[in-house]
């Protein structure tokens, strides 16, 4: 088993370590860190906006660069959490709880160095666990039929739509919008045109990239303008290696040694669950660390373990969320949905067959994640003063960069002005969704998986002559159906339990 | 505004379902699921859930309207009772006004209008010129204090983007009246 892991990783490293791949990995990680610095722009927006820039590249190099952006954004998002109490994205919210108080106590340097180390440990642990899990899961997935695939998609979407969002109905509507948009085009089974209104431009369907760029890029941008991000006058922040107390103390390391392990494992497990990803992982990492601590009262007041735990967890979760993507071909989050779209754009179809047919690519990508973590820890520590300077750039000067990249990038996809208008439509929808608590990530995930969901559902129903028993006949499908039922019914059961308990207490 | 967003989604969902039902068959002649099967499930789900949202938004709106009316009545009554309380209420209204003023709806409308203009002129003017025009107007609006910097930024950044997409990626950006 261990020999297999090292053998596979060695094969991956031989694919990933080329001067071009390393260069684009570095560029991706660097750009990703900058993307992560700007509030509201997480990895999903970064990957979607910068996707068109990878067109001139070899598919392996392109995916390695995009994975670098994904990781870089996770690293970069924390810098603003620590320095200005503004998380770059939701997965780094938990890092503000102790990160910002540390900065206020004049310990911004140690906090930034420790977050870089924690991110490295989390990311690296995640990669090692991926190596162990992916072949096993892919073998299991090889025995899956269409009913199991449909149930996994349903389970992932329900988790993303109902567990992660504030409003369950909004989450479900968001996913249904993604499915509805995904239905436009030609039906692969019957060959009939659907929702094309006779337009030749729509026969090929609505391409996911303009919609994703619109929802994540333009939608987020409009929301940031709406809340006045562009009006904020920034305070100039400075950090230097020569400044006093830049490096963490021995006490910081010794106190956090078990936190690194706990946070990484918790984060990875959270990342495996479709839809949960880094946000849930980091919150769980923080809460569990606080629970096991002998001095929980220190948390929230500038405790280094309170920063290390969520940082390890969110980076391990990013690695964990690659497991369902690579072994099942089913992304678990908005970011990995955009990555899946990029895979498809390059003609790659992740899933159990890709590991069998294209092992060099899969292991090359996994090895690049490991290399990405090494690049990022050096980049993160060596360039902290530089990244801090990026925070001096007011948001109003970033707006035109984002718009121009979104519009020109979308046009460059197929030289289509209609797709560019779809970007605007996606942007308006994304703005409304963000404003009123819907989930653009669920929309993109459903859009990317819409075709697969429909095909697997129809195949299951045709094979079973329309009987729904196909979803409970086999042990795996029965287990998945129960999981779906739990996700759907658990909140109501909990409500009922609370109501009954309250009433009983009232009666006593 | 929330209710308008919910209503728009509800109306679009009805249109989606109605168009799907009128143009696609749910089952084939052999009794198997047809091209309209999945879209009908999706459309029906959308109609149901957006309708629930509309109802919830309507009820919330009614509740907040009733609350506002009650507050207004209490304010009227307190006018006769205590002048000091009156001052405090006015202050409260002012601070609420300031809070709502922190939302930049006009700037969002500006941004949407400029993005729309940018795309509308992308083909006729060409990529470089439309990028320059878009950036100049946007920065004039959002960053009016540094016009020299704005002009320089609006010329150099589009040039960089043009080199990246046209020269490196050979993306075939629109040429427009300038020919590049």
């Amino acid at each position: 088993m261990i020999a297999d892991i090292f053998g596979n990783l060695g094969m991956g490293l031989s694919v990933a370590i080329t001067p071009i791949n390393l260069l684009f990995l570095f560029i991706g990680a660097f750009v990703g860190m900058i993307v992560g610095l700007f509030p509201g722009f997480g990895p999903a927006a970064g990957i979607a906006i910068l996707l068109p820039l990878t067109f001139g590249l070899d598919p392996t190099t392109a995916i390695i660069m995009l994975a670098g952006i994904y990781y870089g954004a996770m690293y970069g998002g924390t810098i603003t959490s620590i320095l200005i109490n503004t998380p770059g994205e939701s997965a780094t919210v938990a890092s503000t709880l102790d990160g910002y108080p540390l900065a206020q106590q004049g310990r911004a340097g140690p906090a930034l160095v420790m977050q870089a180390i924690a991110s490295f440990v989390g990311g690296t642990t995640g990669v090692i666990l991926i190596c162990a899990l992916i072949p096993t899961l892919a073998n299991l997935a090889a025995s899956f039929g269409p009913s199991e695939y449909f149930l996994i998609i349903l389970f992932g979407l329900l988790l993303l739509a109902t567990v992660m969002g504030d409003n369950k109905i909004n989450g479900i509507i968001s996913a249904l919008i993604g499915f509805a948009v995904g239905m436009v085009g030609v039906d692969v089974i019957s060959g009939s045109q659907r929702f094309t209104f006779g337009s030749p431009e729509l026969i090929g369907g609505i391409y996911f990239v303009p919609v994703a760029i619109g929802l994540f890029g333009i939608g987020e941008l409009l929301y940031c303008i709406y809340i006045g991000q562009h009006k904020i006058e920034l305070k100039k922040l400075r950090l230097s290696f020569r400044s006093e107390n830049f490096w963490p103390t021995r006490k910081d390391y010794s106190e956090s040694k078990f936190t690194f392990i706990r946070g990484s494992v918790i984060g990875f497990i959270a990342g495996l669950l479709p839809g949960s990803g880094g946000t849930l992982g980091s919150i769980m990492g923080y809460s569990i660390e606080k629970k096991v601590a002998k001095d929980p009262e220190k948390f929230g007041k500038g405790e280094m373990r309170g920063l290390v735990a969520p940082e390890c967890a969110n980076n391990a979760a990013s690695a964990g969320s690659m497991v369902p993507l690579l072994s099942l071909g089913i992304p678990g989050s908005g970011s990995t949905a955009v990555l899946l779209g990029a895979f498809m754009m390059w003609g790659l179809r992740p899933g159990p067959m890709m590991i069998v047919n294209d092992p060099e690519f899969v292991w090359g990508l996994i090895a690049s994640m490991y290399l990405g973590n090494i690049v990022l820890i050096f980049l993160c520590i060596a360039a902290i003063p530089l990244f801090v300077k990026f925070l001096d750039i007011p948001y109003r000067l970033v707006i035109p960069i984002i718009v121009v990249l979104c519009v020109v990038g979308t046009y460059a996809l197929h030289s289509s002005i209609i797709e560019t208008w779809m970007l605007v439509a996606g942007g308006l929808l994304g703005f409304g969704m963000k404003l009123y608590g819907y989930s653009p990530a669920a929309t993109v995930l459903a859009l990317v998986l819409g075709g697969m969901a429909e095909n697997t559902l129809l195949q299951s129903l045709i094979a079973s002559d329309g009987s729904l028993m196909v979803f409970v006949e086999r042990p795996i499908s029965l287990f998945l159906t129960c999981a779906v039922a739990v996700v759907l019914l658990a909140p109501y059961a909990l409500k009922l339990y609370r109501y009954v308990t309250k009433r009983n207490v009232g009666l006593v | 505004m929330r209710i308008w967003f919910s209503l728009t989604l509800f109306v679009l969902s009805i249109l989606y379902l109605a168009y799907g039902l009128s143009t696609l068959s749910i089952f084939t002649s052999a009794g198997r699921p047809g091209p309209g099967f999945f879209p009908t499930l999706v459309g029906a789900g959308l109609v149901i859930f957006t309708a629930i949202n509309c109802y919830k938004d309507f009820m919330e709106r009614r509740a907040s309207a009733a609350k506002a009316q009650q507050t207004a009545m209490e304010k009227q009554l307190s006018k006769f009772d205590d002048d000091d309380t009156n001052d405090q209420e006015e202050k409260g209204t002012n601070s609420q006004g300031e809070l709502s003023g922190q939302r930049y709806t006009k700037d969002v409308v500006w941004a949407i209008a400029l993005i729309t203009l940018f795309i509308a002129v992308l083909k006729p003017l060409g990529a470089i010129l439309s990028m320059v025009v878009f950036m100049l107007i946007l920065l004039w609006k959002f960053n009016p204090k540094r016009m020299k910097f704005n002009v320089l930024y609006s010329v150099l950044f589009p040039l960089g983007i043009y080199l990246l997409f046209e020269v490196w990626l050979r993306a075939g950006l629109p040429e427009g009246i300038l020919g590049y």
Side-chain angles (χ1 to χ4, degrees), chain A residues 24 52-53 56-57 169-170 172-173 176-177 179-180 183 187 190 192-195 197 218 222 225-228 230-231 396-397 399-401 403-405 407-409 411-412 415 417 420-421 424 428 431-433 436 438 454 457-458 461-462, chain B residues 1-2 5-6 9 16 19-20 24 32-33 35 37-39 41-42 45-46 49-50 52-53 56 102-105 107-108 111-112 115-116 118-120 122-123 131 134-135 138-139 142-143 149 153 157 161 164-165 168-169 171-174:
Chain A
F24 280 96
L53 292 180
L57 305 176
I169 292 177
N170 285 358
I172 293 170
I173 292 173
L176 288 170
I177 290 172
F179 278 142
M183 293 301 107
D187 171 36
S190 66
S192 324
Q193 286 188 33
R194 300 191 296 197
F195 305 101
F197 305 101
I218 301 289
L222 293 176
I225 294 175
Y226 182 70
I227 59 171
H230 61 303
K231 297 281 181 188
R396 56 182 174 271
L397 298 183
I399 295 170
I401 299 179
V403 174
V404 166
L405 273 176
V407 172
V408 174
Y411 182 86
S415 299
I417 205 77
T420 321
W421 285 117
V424 181
L428 292 175
F431 173 55
M433 289 178 112
Y436 301 121
Y438 291 76
E454 183 184 16
L457 175 67
L458 295 192
L461 291 176
I462 289 169
Chain B
M1 282 300 281
R2 178 188 290 271
F5 188 73
S6 302
L9 289 182
Y16 179 86
Y19 187 78
L24 302 165
R32 290 177 164 180
F37 183 79
F38 197 68
L41 284 183
V42 171
L46 271 171
F49 287 111
T50 51
I52 295 172
N53 251 4
K56 275 168 67 180
Q102 284 170 352
R103 297 291 178 240
Y104 294 87
T105 315
D107 286 356
V108 173
I112 295 169
I115 295 169
T116 310
F118 179 24
I119 297 171
L122 190 64
K123 272 201 154 177
M131 279 190 272
F134 165 75
M135 284 188 65
L138 188 107
L139 290 169
F142 287 159
N143 192 38
F149 170 83
Y153 186 30
F157 181 71
I161 289 289
L164 185 67
F165 278 92
W168 185 46
L169 297 172
L173 296 179

Side-chain angles (χ1 to χ4, degrees), chain A residues 31-50 69-81 86-92 212-227 229-230 335 394-406 423 427 434, chain B residues 115:
Chain A
V31 172
M33 280 201 69
I34 297 170
V35 165
L37 287 175
F38 294 107
F41 285 91
I47 299 168
I49 294 169
L50 299 168
I69 294 172
Y70 179 41
Y71 281 105
M74 296 301 286
Y75 272 68
T78 317
I79 296 178
T80 49
S81 298
T86 310
E89 63 127 16
S90 60
T92 59
I213 298 178
L215 284 171
F216 290 130
I218 301 289
E220 289 281 359
L221 175 117
L222 293 176
Y223 183 75
C224 286
I225 294 175
Y226 182 70
I227 59 171
Q229 196 80 43
H230 61 303
S335 315
Y395 190 74
R396 56 182 174 271
L397 298 183
V398 180
I399 295 170
I401 299 179
I402 294 167
V403 174
V404 166
L405 273 176
C406 287
L423 164 91
K434 180 92 185 162
Chain B
I115 295 169

Side-chain angles (χ1 to χ4, degrees), chain B residues 5-135:
Chain B
F5 188 73
S6 302
L7 268 174
T8 309
L9 289 182
F10 177 62
V11 170
L12 288 175
S13 303
I14 289 180
L15 291 175
Y16 179 86
L17 182 64
Y19 187 78
L21 285 172
S22 62
T23 55
L24 302 165
S25 51
I26 300 175
F27 291 100
T28 61
S29 51
R32 290 177 164 180
F37 183 79
F38 197 68
T40 305
L41 284 183
V42 171
L46 271 171
V47 169
I48 293 166
F49 287 111
T50 51
I52 295 172
N53 251 4
C54 283
Y55 174 75
K56 275 168 67 180
D57 290 347
F58 178 73
M59 294 309 280
E60 256 174 44
R61 204 178 147 126
R62 219 164 64 165
S64 60
K67 204 175 167 186
Q69 204 176 8
Q70 197 184 352
T71 316
M73 277 178 70
E74 279 170 6
K75 214 169 139 186
Q76 283 287 328
L77 285 171
S78 64
K79 244 184 188 178
F80 301 107
D81 294 342
D82 194 348
D83 281 343
D84 292 344
T85 322
N86 189 19
D87 286 347
Q88 279 174 3
E89 289 288 332
E90 276 181 7
K91 272 177 196 167
T93 319
N94 284 340
S95 78
Q96 262 192 347
E98 275 170 27
L99 272 176
S100 62
Q102 284 170 352
R103 297 291 178 240
Y104 294 87
T105 315
K106 271 187 188 172
D107 286 356
V108 173
V109 174
W110 259 97
I112 295 169
L114 280 175
I115 295 169
T116 310
L117 179 78
F118 179 24
I119 297 171
V121 299
L122 190 64
K123 272 201 154 177
L125 287 187
I128 288 193
L129 203 56
S130 48
M131 279 190 272
V132 171
V133 170
F134 165 75
M135 284 188 65

